[in-house]
């Protein structure tokens, strides 16, 4: 059953919200679904959430990008950049402004807030679990996220909806469009996990492509703590020879990028033909210079990340960068949920990826025979 649809895009995700609304408008006879909302701030830095129109009985989808550092606000006369904490507080303000009137509230948070603080190793907080329980207590019906750092976080809210969506289909489409000379078999391609945490993603992709995997193990110094973490001493490789193969390194995010570049260097030193990096979230928190340098040195060939989080304008201009557009996928998720249809194929589109790889290989065979 299709419910009365409403979409709220917080300022952090406004550009994405506008594009999703335009796509849905094409599919639904020119209707528009965006509801205007604001979070103005007082001079002290405090804020409030304001809705510009009614949300009564709406099936409401609220979009937020907690990793958008481009938005600023004034506090005590100084300009501050919005942190993930600020974005999450604004999300709660907008939910509170709905005042229980919406029929259903679904939060679409592509990068799961505090997802890297997902487990307790010593005397420390469990921020991701606390965040999910806060949203549940505020009446949120479901949380939609992408490629969660640890999908087991949904155990924190076992009675509420939680969808961890894989953008593997969109990465496959972009890869096969970008390169026409790939040979997809175990003799010419490998998927690589940069650490043990990314193994599930790599196994999923490799099994569909029908190729082998390799894995790097992060050897850490557990006697030292730097910025709350045990520093990485080295990356040790486990797997067969990569010589002459296209190696695709898959992870959920590129933060500073140091680990990915180190992995790429090791693969190249072992004779890899091309090194391609897939990361759902390209944060590039330490800037782009180290990637520019590594690209010039031939360390890697391309970096693919999605537009699910804010992309620095200069990033889009880099010769080594390929953006993976998720807007139509997001629109399809909202459309499917609003109609009460199954999300299974959207969340894990294994068959569609397999069919796409098969068609690519068939096309390559035809070209070769011609």
């Amino acid at each position: 059953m299709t419910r009365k649809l409403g979409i709220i895009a917080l300022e952090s995700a406004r550009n994405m919200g506008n594009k999703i609304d335009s796509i849905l408008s094409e599919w639904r006879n020119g209707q528009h679904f965006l509801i205007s909302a604001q979070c103005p701030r007082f001079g002290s830095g405090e804020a409030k959430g304001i809705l510009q129109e009614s949300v009564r009985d709406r099936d409401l989808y609220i979009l937020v990008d907690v990793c958008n550092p481009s938005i600023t606000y004034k506090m005590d006369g100084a300009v501050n950049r919005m942190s993930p904490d600020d974005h999450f507080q604004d999300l709660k303000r907008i939910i509170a402004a709905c005042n229980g009137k919406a029929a259903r509230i679904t939060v679409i948070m592509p990068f799961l807030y505090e997802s890297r603080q997902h487990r307790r190793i010593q005397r420390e907080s469990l921020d991701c679990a606390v965040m999910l329980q806060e949203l549940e207590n505020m009446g949120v019906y479901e949380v939609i996220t992408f490629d969660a750092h640890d999908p087991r976080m949904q155990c924190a809210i076992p009675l509420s909806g939680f969808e961890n969506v894989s953008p593997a289909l969109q990465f496959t489409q972009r890869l096969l469009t970008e390169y026409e000379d790939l040979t997809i078999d175990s003799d010419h391609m490998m998927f690589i996990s940069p650490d043990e945490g990314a193994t599930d993603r790599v196994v999923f992709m490799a099994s569909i492509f029908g190729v082998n995997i390799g894995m790097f193990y992060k050897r850490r110094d557990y006697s030292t703590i730097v910025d709350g973490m045990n520093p990485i001493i080295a990356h040790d490789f486990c797997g067969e020879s990569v010589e002459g193969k296209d190696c695709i390194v898959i992870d959920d995010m590129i933060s500073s990028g140091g680990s990915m570049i180190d992995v790429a260097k090791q693969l190249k030193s072992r004779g890899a033909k091309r090194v391609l990096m897939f990361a759902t979230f390209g944060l590039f928190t330490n800037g782009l210079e180290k990637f520019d340098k590594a690209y010039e040195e031939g360390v890697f060939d391309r970096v693919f990340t999605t537009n699910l989080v804010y992309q620095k304008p200069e990033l889009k201009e880099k010769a080594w960068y390929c953006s993976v557009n998720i807007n139509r996928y997001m629109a399809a998720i909202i459309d499917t949920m609003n109609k009460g249809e199954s999300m299974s194929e959207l969340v894990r589109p294994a068959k569609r990826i397999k069919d796409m790889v098969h068609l690519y290989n068939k096309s390559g065979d035809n070209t070769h025979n011609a």
Side-chain angles (χ1 to χ4, degrees):
M1 183 182 91
T2 303
R3 305 171 182 86
K4 191 176 179 182
L5 176 61
I7 299 173
I8 295 177
L10 272 67
E11 188 177 1
S12 60
R14 193 142 297 162
N15 184 48
M16 178 184 292
N18 289 332
K19 291 178 179 177
I20 290 171
D21 183 62
S22 296
I23 294 166
L24 287 170
S25 181
E26 292 175 14
W27 297 348
R28 296 196 177 190
N29 302 317
Q31 297 180 70
H32 288 279
F33 306 99
L34 276 179
I35 294 170
S36 180
Q38 296 178 340
C39 290
R41 291 183 178 266
F42 302 100
S44 61
E46 299 166 292
K48 61 179 178 179
I50 302 174
L51 300 178
Q52 304 295 336
E53 56 188 279
S54 173
V55 297
R56 185 180 295 275
D57 296 328
R58 296 262 189 168
D59 183 20
L60 201 59
Y61 296 80
I62 306 178
L63 281 73
V64 59
D65 174 10
V66 299
C67 291
N68 189 337
S70 68
I71 300 169
T72 61
Y73 65 91
K74 284 190 175 181
M75 177 177 171
D76 196 29
V79 176
N80 287 350
R81 288 204 296 174
M82 293 273 285
S83 71
D85 294 345
D86 293 319
H87 289 303
F88 180 57
Q89 285 300 119
D90 279 358
L91 169 65
K92 292 193 291 182
R93 291 179 177 110
I94 293 301
I95 294 171
C98 293
N99 198 26
K101 300 299 191 296
R104 188 172 78 173
I105 294 177
T106 299
V107 170
I108 301 181
M109 185 186 292
F111 185 96
L112 191 64
Y113 172 70
E114 290 290 0
S115 57
R116 285 189 283 181
Q117 190 51 33
H118 61 102
R119 60 179 177 167
R120 176 175 285 151
I121 298 174
Q122 49 189 339
R123 291 186 294 274
E124 57 190 22
S125 57
L126 275 172
D127 296 48
C128 191
V130 171
M131 176 274 295
L132 289 171
Q133 290 178 359
E134 277 191 272
L135 294 182
E136 181 182 54
N137 292 336
M138 294 186 78
V140 170
Y141 169 77
E142 188 153 11
V143 175
I144 308 292
T145 193
F146 282 75
D147 206 0
H149 192 68
D150 188 343
R152 291 174 296 182
M153 283 313 307
Q154 62 190 289
C155 296
I157 48 169
L159 301 181
S160 294
F162 183 98
E163 289 287 358
N164 181 38
V165 183
S166 169
L169 174 64
Q170 286 67 35
F171 274 106
T172 302
Q173 288 173 329
R174 192 70 173 92
L175 172 68
L176 301 186
T177 301
E178 185 71 16
Y179 290 96
E180 298 179 354
D181 62 341
L182 295 171
T183 302
I184 304 176
D185 61 36
S186 293
D187 293 328
H188 299 89
M189 179 180 287
M190 281 183 72
F191 282 91
I192 307 293
S193 175
D195 56 42
E196 56 274 25
T199 305
D200 286 348
R201 302 178 186 91
V202 171
V203 169
F204 174 72
M205 290 292 281
S207 64
I208 294 173
F209 275 66
V211 301
N212 294 327
I213 73 166
M215 187 192 84
F216 281 88
Y217 169 70
K218 288 181 178 177
R219 189 147 43 92
R220 296 178 180 271
D221 179 3
Y222 286 99
S223 66
T224 306
I225 296 178
V226 179
D227 294 330
M229 297 181 291
N230 301 111
I232 299 168
I233 301 171
H235 289 91
D236 296 329
F237 183 66
C238 304
E240 64 181 27
S241 173
V242 303
E243 188 170 356
K245 297 178 183 178
D246 290 323
C247 294
I248 302 173
V249 186
I250 302 180
D251 209 350
D252 59 331
M253 74 180 77
I254 294 175
S255 184
S256 66
S259 292
M260 288 290 255
I261 289 175
D262 186 46
V263 163
K265 285 179 179 178
Q266 291 209 41
L267 291 171
K268 280 290 188 177
S269 71
R270 286 175 164 83
K273 178 183 175 184
R274 286 180 292 207
V275 176
L276 311 174
M277 302 178 188
F278 284 9
T280 304
F281 307 107
L283 306 181
F284 299 100
T285 54
N286 287 7
L288 305 174
E289 292 77 12
K290 67 170 65 175
F291 282 87
D292 289 335
K293 183 180 178 183
Y295 179 67
E296 290 169 5
E297 294 173 351
V299 172
F300 69 93
D301 294 82
R302 288 288 186 280
V303 174
F304 296 74
T305 73
T306 72
N307 64 341
L308 285 168
V309 294
Y310 173 76
Q311 296 170 300
K312 296 178 173 71
E314 58 271 26
L315 173 64
K316 299 177 185 179
E317 305 299 322
K318 298 297 182 182
W320 47 263
Y321 180 68
C322 291
S323 179
V324 179
N325 193 318
I326 308 290
N327 293 333
R328 293 187 74 83
Y329 195 28
M330 291 274 272
I333 289 170
I334 292 173
D335 185 61
T336 300
M337 290 189 65
N338 179 241
K339 291 176 179 176
E341 298 174 352
S342 173
M343 287 274 289
S344 298
E345 289 189 14
L346 282 172
V347 174
R348 298 288 273 188
K351 185 179 183 303
R352 290 184 63 187
I353 298 172
K354 202 165 189 174
D355 291 344
M356 192 179 299
V357 171
H358 176 72
L359 286 172
Y360 181 88
N361 283 335
K362 188 176 179 182
S363 173
D365 290 342
N366 291 339
T367 302
H368 180 74
N369 292 334

